[in-house]
Amino acid sequence: MSEWIRSRIRIIPDYPKPGILFQDVTTLLKDATGFRKAVDELVQPFAGAGITRVAGIEARGFILGGAVAHQLSVGFVPVRKAGKLPGPTIAERYELEYGADALEIHSDAVQPGDQVLVVDDVLATGGTAGAAIALLRRKQAHVVGGAFLIDLVHLGGNERLTGLGVPVHALASSTNADDPVF
Ligand code: AMP
């Protein structure tokens, strides 16, 4: 459990809708020391692991994933909401609490055999990261792991990704739904 990261993340209750405890990472990102330390710790287990691409999920995964890719000296792949990427894309639908959404990557974003690290700020149900993993696998990339600032373990994303064979690395994890911080 990482107290330093918890202390830098602002919790906004009932955003964007009642009952959600929104994990606002902008308070961490604006803190030079916190941002650097977070990126260092996201990278740490994957340094020397042969990562060839980092895939960041829109939108906060772009900020973190870009910095992680820079630190690993590898390329960055944006995983975007439907209709945002300009070139030929592949899409994967995923379930939301109400309804469904879709994520896309460019068809040529990764090559078969690429060793990809998926990065986002928060892992909740794992629907978003699961769709990103499915997209990358459809292009025969190997998803080495998922790196997140916060893992809301009680929402099931950790179990979901682990079940897909993708190890989860998170800097802070909730222990249960009553956790006062999460
Ligand atoms: P999920 O697909 O349920 O794992 O949700 C993960 C995605 O939704 C990530 O891109 C997060 O940025 C965002 N998200 C989900 N729950 C929260 C939360 N409580 N606070 C901040 N972001 C969240």
Side-chain angles (χ1 to χ4, degrees), residues 20-23 58 60 120-128 152:
I20 304 283
L21 288 179
F22 191 83
Q23 314 288 313
E58 186 172 357
R60 292 173 293 275
D120 203 357
D121 62 337
V122 174
L123 178 62
T125 66
T128 311
L152 303 175

Side-chain angles (χ1 to χ4, degrees), residues 19-177:
I20 304 283
L21 288 179
F22 191 83
Q23 314 288 313
D24 175 18
V25 302
T26 64
T27 44
L28 170 75
L29 297 174
K30 73 175 181 181
D31 173 345
T33 310
F35 188 21
R36 173 169 284 283
K37 189 166 158 63
V39 172
D40 284 347
E41 293 200 8
L42 286 172
V43 166
Q44 193 272 326
F46 303 101
I51 303 293
T52 60
R53 294 263 197 285
V54 170
I57 300 175
E58 186 172 357
R60 292 173 293 275
F62 293 175
I63 300 162
L64 295 163
V68 167
H70 177 76
Q71 192 136 325
L72 288 170
S73 298
V74 301
F76 175 81
V77 169
V79 182
R80 298 212 66 177
K81 304 277 168 57
K84 302 278 191 177
L85 288 167
T89 56
I90 59 168
E92 192 75 32
R93 283 169 64 80
Y94 63 103
E95 300 304 315
L96 295 171
E97 198 175 344
Y98 303 108
D101 212 336
L103 288 180
E104 295 181 347
I105 58 172
H106 273 138
S107 303
D108 60 357
V110 293
Q111 310 303 318
D114 259 332
Q115 305 287 309
V116 183
L117 176 63
V118 172
V119 175
D120 203 357
D121 62 337
V122 174
L123 178 62
T125 66
T128 311
I133 291 163
L135 286 168
L136 295 161
R137 285 181 168 171
R138 277 167 58 188
K139 287 290 164 186
Q140 286 87 48
H142 174 65
V143 182
V144 177
F148 305 87
L149 296 178
I150 301 160
D151 178 3
L152 303 175
V153 176
H154 57 280
L155 296 180
N158 189 306
E159 201 176 345
R160 184 170 182 159
L161 265 55
T162 306
L164 289 170
V166 176
V168 172
H169 169 55
L171 306 196
S173 302
S174 65
T175 45
N176 60 64

